């Protein structure tokens, strides 16, 4: 099946010389949730902004493939891209408290998402907005439409953001840490909402998160990002059953995953911080924090297959702890 | 919100009282007013008459409270130069100064806001720097001098505009432009700063993610939020412009409130001087209050809190 | 970046030239700036028809050498600018630091003083004081000094508030340092960079205000060669001899521009940002 979104060798660098994204590849299928997971600063948010062409000034992107269905996003002008954004491609952000314009009502901000892309009256757009607010679980939608963002709680605002992203029936929804800023109980509600919507609308969902608990719960496919690269990519099942990259293993040891972690296993931690990657960087980005680093890691990190559709970026063989012991 | 406005109103009253004292003290700085009014040729008898007519023979404290009490009722005293009530004199001259101030403010906003937006959109590029330097140049030109240069060039050499007076509306063009000059740099910088903050905000990213057109993002989503401080400062600037129009009115011979004040200062017509000082201060205080209320209307967070 | 550096350098150059010209005026001025010669009135500058190398910038309506008056005028502008800034700086910084450091009632009083000052119409009150007290250099300096302290106070107040919460102030307090010591030795040096930028802005403003007052006949008394006064005196002749207002006007503009460019450069260098 042809993916909704296909990305190959996407790169983003900043004017400062920092290489934020260093050639990531991923594909999102219709009806699939693809999780892009990694710690803060690994380049996952920048990747999503690069896909949407929403990078701040001073950042440049390049890619071998950046395709939405049959549309080559790299060839679009900003004007053409803007026509696609908010229509077929929608995005929601981490900060529900600041992502809505404080000066306009919820209704006004939701309606313009539709009137921008469809020839439709404002009144009709407001009807649609009310319908979607109800759909995302907001009671008394008529009242909410007339309210300003500051009158709503964080959870409500994130529901509004989701409803707003759905105004034009998008095919791809990119959600950048949509629950990070919210209370735990609200988080669970929002995630359930996203799951339901995705199932019912057949959305392709690219979910960006640092939380492996969310990955375990939501993802069909996972890309683990570290220092601007996807270091391991697999189906969710395979990733949790047979994590291969040392970083992925480290991550999984840090967090108890219901059903995935052994009950008696000690929780681990990864010492050190994500390095800053300059233009001359070579080799594996994880080597300074990796317990298994070897001299060759300063030169290269090869792409290997642990299984069909299970790739990782490391010198170690797929069955390395056992192989090393042997 | 109501408490905030009440507090501001109380503050305004206190400031008014202080200005009342300042205006009174100012005109007594010369020592014996009667001697200055009477002029060099006056006899001792003349001076005594003046002193009595204007109540200057009374103790200063009595003079002050008498004036303050009348001023509070809108009676600002009589001009000895015009032999007319000061309040009436100010009211007669006010339309000219007000027209000048408002058109000056309108011109300033029409120039400053687009320039500020442009500078913010192209922050840290050549465009931004060039606009910044143009603002510095504008700020460095003495307004009375620009006035004279415009009179020479536009009035005399090209004969496009009348060089003085406001018999027709064209007479207002040059003085209003010159008055606007002084307010443009501040308004421009404020618009720029506000727009830079607004454009970097999360809701602008949301607006872009919705695919909105750049014009709508800048003018609807960013400008609305950047406009709030600009509105307050515009009101304050109007206050400064009404006060500063004295220079412009002198250059273009416009008989507004500023011209009246200038004349009265030169001729020791102290009732007019203290009244104009008080009047302009009250207008300024009123404008700052108005700015607070306008912000409350513009900012839904204040309005609905 | 280059435009920025060029602008700052230009500002420094302008201020330097005017400063040297003012300081050396007695030595480099070709004539006595007060010497009238009614036979040589309104001679145009050297580069115009009828100009003479003897009077490079021409003469005024009383036959005084314009270049000499311009050079001596630089002294007046700089003197008034500097002294007015010193006076207003002393008042404003003291008020601002007190309000920012002590907060509460003290701060209420300082804020009230600032509000009152802002509501008083600047030029009108300055004119009134000069008119009713009598015009002299001292009166102009004191009047401007007493009126231009508001921005010093505002900036000193906000920056002091930020500095107050920092660790080393708490350390000084804990070590039992006197309040005066803390304010002058710990707070003041740390807010000084912001105040330097304000000083340039206020100096430019003071020079422009002096010129405006003199232009309205209520500033520096004649026959002192203030640039504002030169424009006022030349006003009656400007239709036939525009240079009489162009020369002092451009001098005024260039000096104020230089000070502003310098202030802008300092703001960048000292990293005081958009606060002032």
């Amino acid at each position: 099946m042809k993916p909704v979104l296909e990305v190959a060798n996407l790169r983003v660098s900043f004017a400062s010389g920092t290489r934020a994204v260093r050639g990531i590849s991923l594909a999102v299928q219709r009806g699939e949730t693809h999780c892009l997971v990694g710690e803060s600063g690994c380049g996952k948010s920048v990747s999503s902004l690069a896909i949407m062409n929403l990078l701040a000034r001073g950042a440049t992107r390049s890619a071998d493939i950046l395709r939405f269905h049959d549309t080559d996003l790299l060839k679009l002008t900003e004007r053409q891209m803007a026509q696609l954004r908010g229509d077929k491609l929608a995005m929601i952000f981490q900060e529900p408290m600041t992502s809505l314009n404080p000066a306009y009502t919820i209704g006004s901000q939701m309606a313009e998402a539709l009137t921008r892309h469809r020839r439709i009256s404002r009144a009709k757009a407001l009807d649609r907005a009310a319908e979607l607010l109800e759909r995302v679980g907001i009671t008394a939608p008529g009242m909410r439409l007339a309210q300003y963002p500051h009158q709503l709680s964080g959870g409500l605002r994130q529901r509004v953001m989701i409803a707003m992203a759905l105004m034009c029936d998008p095919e791809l929804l990119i959600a950048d840490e949509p629950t990070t800023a919210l209370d735990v109980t609200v988080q669970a509600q929002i995630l359930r909402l996203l799951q339901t919507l995705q199932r019912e609308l057949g959305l392709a969902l690219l979910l960006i998160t640092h939380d492996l608990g969310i990955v375990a719960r939501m993802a069909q496919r996972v890309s683990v990002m570290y220092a601007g690269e996807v270091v391991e990519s697999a189906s969710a099942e395979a990733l949790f059953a047979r994590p291969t990259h040392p970083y992925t293993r480290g991550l999984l040891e840090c967090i108890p995953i219901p059903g995935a972690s052994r009950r008696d296993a000690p929780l681990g931690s990864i010492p050190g911080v994500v390095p800053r990657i300059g233009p001359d960087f070579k080799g594996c980005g994880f080597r300074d924090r990796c317990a298994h680093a070897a001299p060759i890691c300063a030169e290269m990190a090869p792409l290997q297959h642990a299984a069909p559709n299970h790739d990782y970026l490391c010198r170690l063989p797929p069955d390395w702890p056992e192989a090393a012991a042997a | 919100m109501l408490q905030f406005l009440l507090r501001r109103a109380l503050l305004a009253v206190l400031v008014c009282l202080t200005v009342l004292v300042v205006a009174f003290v100012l005109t007594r700085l010369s020592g014996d007013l009667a001697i200055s009014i009477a002029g060099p040729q006056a006899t001792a008898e003349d001076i005594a008459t003046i002193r009595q007519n204007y109540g200057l023979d009374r103790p200063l404290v009595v003079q002050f409270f008498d004036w303050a009490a009348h001023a509070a009722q809108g009676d600002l005293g009589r001009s000895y130069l015009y032999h007319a009530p000061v309040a009436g004199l100010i009211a007669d001259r006010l339309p000219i100064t007000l027209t000048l101030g408002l058109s000056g403010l309108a011109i300033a906003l029409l120039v400053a806001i687009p320039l500020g937006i442009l500078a913010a959109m192209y922050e840290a590029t050549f465009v931004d720097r060039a606009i910044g330097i143009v603002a510095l140049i504008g700020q460095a030109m003495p307004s009375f001098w620009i006035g004279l240069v415009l009179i020479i060039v536009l009035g005399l050499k090209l004969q496009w505009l009348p060089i003085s007076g406001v018999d027709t509306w064209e007479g207002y063009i040059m003085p209003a432009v010159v008055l606007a000059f002084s307010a443009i740099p501040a308004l421009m910088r404020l618009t720029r700063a506000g727009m830079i903050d607004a454009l970097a905000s999360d809701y602008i990213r949301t607006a872009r993610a919705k695919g909105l057109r750049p014009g709508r993002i800048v003018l609807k989503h960013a400008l609305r939020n950047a406009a709030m401080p600009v509105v307050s400062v515009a009101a304050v600037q109007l206050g400064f412009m009404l006060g500063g129009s004295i220079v412009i009115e002198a250059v273009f011979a416009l008989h507004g409130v500023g011209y009246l004040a200038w004349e009265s200062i030169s001729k020791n017509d102290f009732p007019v001087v203290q009244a104009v000082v008080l009047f302009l201060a009250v207008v300024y205080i009123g404008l700052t209050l108005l700015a607070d209320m306008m912000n409350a209307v513009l900012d839904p967070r204040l309005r609905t809190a | 970046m280059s435009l920025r550096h060029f602008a700052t350098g230009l500002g420094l150059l302008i201020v330097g030239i005017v400063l040297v010209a003012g300081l050396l005026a007695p030595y480099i001025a070709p004539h006595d700036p007060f010497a009238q010669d009614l036979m040589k009135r309104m001679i145009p500058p050297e580069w115009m028809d009828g100009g003479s190398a003897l009077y490079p910038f021409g003469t005024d309506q009383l036959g005084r050498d314009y270049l000499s008056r311009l050079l001596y005028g630089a002294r007046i502008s700089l003197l008034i600018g500097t002294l007015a800034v010193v006076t207003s700086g002393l008042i404003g910084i003291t008020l601002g630091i007190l309000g920012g450091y002590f907060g509460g009632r003290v701060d209420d009083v300082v804020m009230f003083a600032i509000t009152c000052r802002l509501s008083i119409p600047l030029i009108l009150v300055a004119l009134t004081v000069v008119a009713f007290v009598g015009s002299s250099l001292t009166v102009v300096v004191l009047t401007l000094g007493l009126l231009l302290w508001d921005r010093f106070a505002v900036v000193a107040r906000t920056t002091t508030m930020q500095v107050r919460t920092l660790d080393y102030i708490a350390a000084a307090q804990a070590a039992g340092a006197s309040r005066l010591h803390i304010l002058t030795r710990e707070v003041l040096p740390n807010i000084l960079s912001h105040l330097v930028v304000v000083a340039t802005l206020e100096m430019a403003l003071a020079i422009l205000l002096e010129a405006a007052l003199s232009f309205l006949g209520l500033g520096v008394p004649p026959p002192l060669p203030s640039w504002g006064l030169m424009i006022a005196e030349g006003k009656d002749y400007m239709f036939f001899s525009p240079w009489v207002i162009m020369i002092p006007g451009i001098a005024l503009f260039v000096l104020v521009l230089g000070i502003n460019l310098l202030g802008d450069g300092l703001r960048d260098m000292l990293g005081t940002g958009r606060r002032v």
Side-chain angles (χ1 to χ4, degrees):
Chain A
M1 191 169 63
K2 230 176 145 46
V4 176
L5 177 74
E6 192 182 354
V7 178
N9 200 17
L10 175 69
R11 296 165 176 275
V12 179
S13 52
F14 295 140
S16 63
T18 304
R19 310 252 304 267
V21 180
R22 299 186 294 146
I24 69 161
S25 303
L26 54 86
V28 191
Q29 306 286 345
R30 187 179 145 77
E32 177 188 70
T33 299
H34 190 129
C35 275
L36 195 55
V37 63
E39 17 186 340
S40 51
C42 72
K44 55 194 193 300
S45 286
V46 175
S47 304
S48 64
L49 292 173
I51 293 168
M52 295 288 279
N53 200 19
L54 285 176
L55 288 169
R57 208 172 43 187
T60 45
R61 70 169 188 188
S62 69
D64 293 346
I65 300 174
L66 184 53
R67 195 180 290 143
F68 175 72
H69 285 300
D70 291 322
T71 314
D72 184 355
L73 299 184
L74 292 168
K75 289 214 178 93
L76 295 186
T77 62
E78 168 54 28
R79 203 190 167 86
Q80 291 166 321
M81 187 64 205
Q83 279 170 5
L84 216 56
R85 266 200 310 258
D87 187 355
K88 294 292 154 209
L89 279 153
M91 185 158 180
I92 54 181
F93 300 98
Q94 181 176 352
E95 304 85 4
M97 303 311 279
T98 51
S99 289
L100 288 163
N101 192 328
Y104 295 100
T105 59
I106 303 299
S108 151
Q109 295 185 58
M110 289 186 72
E112 74 179 350
L114 191 56
T115 50
R116 160 70 174 94
H117 297 289
R118 304 277 186 277
R119 298 178 62 94
I120 187 170
S121 71
R122 195 181 138 83
K124 286 246 171 59
L126 282 172
D127 289 346
R128 164 96 176 137
E131 205 181 293
L132 280 170
L133 284 184
E134 204 152 14
R135 180 95 191 242
V136 299
I138 293 180
T139 49
M143 177 191 80
R144 296 297 182 196
L145 286 179
Q147 283 186 319
Y148 288 92
H150 71 274
Q151 294 168 300
L152 271 55
S153 67
L156 275 180
R157 284 191 220 185
Q158 197 59 297
R159 284 173 196 265
V160 168
M161 286 297 291
I162 294 172
M164 194 157 81
L166 298 177
M167 283 297 278
C168 294
D169 278 321
E171 291 172 35
L172 172 70
L173 180 63
I174 300 181
D176 183 4
E177 304 255 15
T179 58
T180 306
L182 304 175
D183 291 341
V184 187
T185 46
V186 183
Q187 270 192 28
Q189 294 167 7
I190 298 285
L191 290 175
R192 201 172 308 133
L193 172 67
L194 281 175
Q195 266 175 326
T196 317
L197 290 170
Q198 186 209 28
R199 209 169 36 240
E200 289 172 6
L201 304 174
L203 281 173
L205 178 63
L206 180 60
L207 180 65
I208 290 152
T209 179
H210 66 275
D211 185 341
L212 281 171
I214 292 178
V215 177
R217 183 170 161 178
M218 302 284 289
Q220 276 95 60
R221 196 161 177 88
V222 188
S223 294
V224 180
M225 245 185 121
Y226 186 82
E229 288 177 310
V230 171
V231 294
E232 184 159 2
S233 169
S235 69
E237 266 168 49
L239 191 95
F240 285 107
R242 289 185 308 283
T244 308
H245 194 280
Y247 177 65
T248 315
R249 292 202 183 181
L251 272 187
L252 288 174
E253 279 161 18
C254 291
I255 303 146
I257 307 289
S261 305
R262 286 200 313 279
R263 198 168 283 271
D264 53 345
L267 282 179
S269 70
I270 308 175
V273 289
V274 183
R276 200 192 85 96
I277 306 288
D280 303 324
F281 191 87
K282 246 187 354 178
C284 173
F286 188 58
R287 64 175 185 265
D288 291 339
R289 299 171 75 183
C290 180
H292 311 279
I296 185 140
C297 298
E299 296 301 320
M300 58 170 295
L303 179 69
Q304 301 196 64
H305 303 288
N309 284 323
H310 185 166
D311 307 332
Y312 68 103
L313 210 58
C314 183
R315 68 173 182 94
L316 295 166
D319 52 348
W320 53 271
E322 298 78 16
Chain B
M1 185 67 212
L2 189 66
Q3 204 189 350
F4 168 74
L5 282 182
L6 277 177
R7 221 182 111 86
R8 293 283 292 115
L10 180 70
L11 184 69
V13 171
L14 283 177
V15 175
C16 281
L17 288 176
T18 312
V19 174
L20 207 62
V21 176
V22 170
F24 179 81
V25 170
L26 268 182
T27 52
R28 267 63 182 180
L29 282 174
S30 66
D32 197 334
L33 266 172
I35 295 175
S36 342
I37 295 173
Q41 281 95 31
T43 61
E45 214 171 300
D46 296 338
I47 295 172
T49 317
I50 288 174
R51 197 170 282 154
Q52 214 175 2
N53 282 350
Y54 287 92
L56 295 170
D57 51 346
R58 298 170 297 169
L60 275 181
V61 181
V62 175
Q63 289 183 39
F64 172 71
F65 281 107
D66 181 47
W67 177 62
H70 281 98
Q73 296 161 31
D75 174 10
L76 295 169
R78 287 179 71 83
S79 156
Y80 77 84
L81 198 63
Y82 288 93
H83 304 289
V86 177
L89 284 175
I90 294 179
D92 287 346
R93 311 290 191 100
L94 191 57
I96 290 183
T97 302
L98 215 53
T99 313
L100 191 57
L102 287 174
S103 36
L105 182 67
I107 295 170
L109 288 173
L110 282 176
V111 176
I113 290 179
L115 281 184
I117 293 174
L118 216 59
M121 286 173 68
Y122 297 97
E123 190 199 349
T125 65
F126 182 79
V127 177
D128 183 21
R129 303 244 156 82
I131 290 175
I133 286 179
V134 168
L136 276 183
I137 290 175
Q139 206 174 15
M141 297 222 218
S143 58
F144 60 94
W145 181 68
I146 310 175
L148 295 178
V149 173
L150 287 184
I151 288 177
I152 294 178
V153 177
L154 298 180
L156 197 73
K157 298 272 192 276
L158 300 171
Q159 303 208 335
W160 285 353
L161 293 166
I163 57 174
S164 71
V166 281
D167 303 328
T168 58
W169 63 269
E170 283 115 326
Y172 280 108
I173 296 178
M174 277 201 283
V177 166
V178 175
L179 196 55
F181 249 84
S182 58
I184 288 173
L187 291 172
M188 200 282 292
R189 294 211 178 92
L190 200 69
T191 308
R192 174 180 177 274
M195 284 299 286
I196 286 175
D197 285 348
L199 286 173
S201 64
D202 290 336
Y203 56 80
I204 291 301
R205 193 181 53 188
T206 306
R208 293 179 64 206
K210 280 193 274 189
L212 298 186
R213 290 184 178 88
R216 192 175 171 89
I217 291 174
V218 170
L219 294 179
K220 182 180 170 189
H221 285 272
L223 186 59
R224 173 65 187 270
N225 287 285
M228 291 172 208
V230 177
V231 166
S232 329
V233 172
V236 171
Q237 285 287 337
L238 180 61
F240 290 155
M241 286 161 101
L242 292 177
S245 80
I246 187 166
V247 182
I248 312 296
E249 291 180 21
V251 170
F252 291 94
L254 303 183
H255 291 257
V257 177
Y259 201 89
L260 176 71
W262 185 40
E263 250 177 354
S264 315
I265 291 170
S266 323
K267 304 212 167 113
N268 288 313
D269 192 354
F270 74 93
V272 179
V273 177
Q274 59 190 18
V276 174
V277 171
L278 180 65
F279 171 75
L280 286 176
V282 169
V283 168
Y284 175 89
I285 295 163
L287 283 171
T288 52
L289 272 179
L290 183 73
D292 283 347
M293 284 189 276
M294 276 166 76
N295 261 338
V297 172
L298 269 180
D299 189 342
R301 281 163 297 190
L302 287 176
R303 193 192 325 145
T304 51
Chain C
M1 281 316 279
S2 58
L3 186 60
R4 264 282 189 258
H5 287 145
F6 172 75
T8 311
L10 186 67
L12 199 63
L13 187 72
I14 291 172
V15 176
I17 289 176
V18 177
L19 193 65
V20 170
L23 287 176
L24 298 183
Y27 307 103
I28 56 175
H31 300 270
D32 176 353
F34 301 104
Q36 304 180 7
D37 186 344
L38 295 183
M39 301 304 289
K40 293 180 173 161
R41 296 162 60 211
M42 300 305 288
I43 297 175
E46 196 186 340
W47 61 87
M48 289 172 66
D49 280 347
S52 141
L54 209 54
Y55 302 100
F57 281 5
T59 60
D60 68 4
Q61 74 287 355
L62 295 174
R64 295 173 294 195
D65 178 45
Y66 228 45
L67 175 61
S68 304
R69 287 185 72 71
L70 199 70
L71 290 171
Y72 275 87
R75 299 183 135 196
I76 293 185
S77 283
L78 290 173
L79 190 72
I80 288 185
T82 313
L83 293 180
V85 165
V86 169
T87 317
S88 58
L90 279 176
I91 301 172
I93 294 169
T94 309
L95 285 176
I97 289 185
L98 289 177
Y101 187 79
F102 291 107
R105 283 285 151 78
V106 180
D107 192 34
D108 286 346
V109 172
V110 170
M111 282 307 290
F112 181 70
I114 295 174
T115 315
C116 286
R117 158 55 206 95
L118 286 172
S119 39
I120 290 171
L122 189 64
I123 297 182
L124 187 54
V125 167
L127 285 173
T128 310
V129 174
V130 177
F132 282 63
V133 178
S135 69
S136 72
L137 261 179
T138 321
V139 172
V140 173
V141 165
L142 283 178
T143 309
L144 292 179
L146 288 171
L147 285 171
L148 293 180
W149 52 266
D150 52 286
R151 197 153 23 176
F152 276 113
V154 170
V155 173
R157 179 176 166 272
T158 42
T159 46
T160 302
M161 281 178 162
Q162 288 158 358
V163 168
R164 183 181 58 175
T165 55
L166 299 179
D167 285 344
Y168 62 90
I169 301 288
Q173 284 167 335
S178 73
R179 278 175 180 168
L180 186 68
H181 179 93
I182 293 177
L183 291 182
T184 54
R185 295 294 157 91
E186 310 287 348
V187 174
L188 189 59
N190 282 288
I191 63 172
L192 211 56
S193 60
H194 299 270
L195 297 174
V196 168
V197 177
V198 177
T200 62
L201 289 171
E202 294 305 301
M203 183 161 177
L205 186 59
I207 290 173
L208 284 177
L209 275 175
E210 180 275 317
L213 296 183
S214 298
F215 173 75
L216 291 174
L218 290 163
V220 175
L224 283 178
S226 150
W227 291 346
L229 200 55
M230 287 167 78
I231 296 175
E233 288 168 347
K235 198 175 65 159
D236 295 338
Y237 305 89
M238 69 178 190
F239 290 129
F240 305 104
S241 315
W243 50 268
V244 292
I245 69 152
M246 291 313 287
I247 289 173
I250 289 173
L252 205 49
F253 160 67
V254 169
L255 174 59
V256 173
L257 180 67
I259 296 173
N260 282 340
L261 287 174
L262 199 58
D264 232 37
L266 282 174
R267 186 195 319 240
D268 280 357
M269 264 189 284
L270 301 171
T272 48
R274 277 187 264 135
R275 194 173 298 118
V276 288

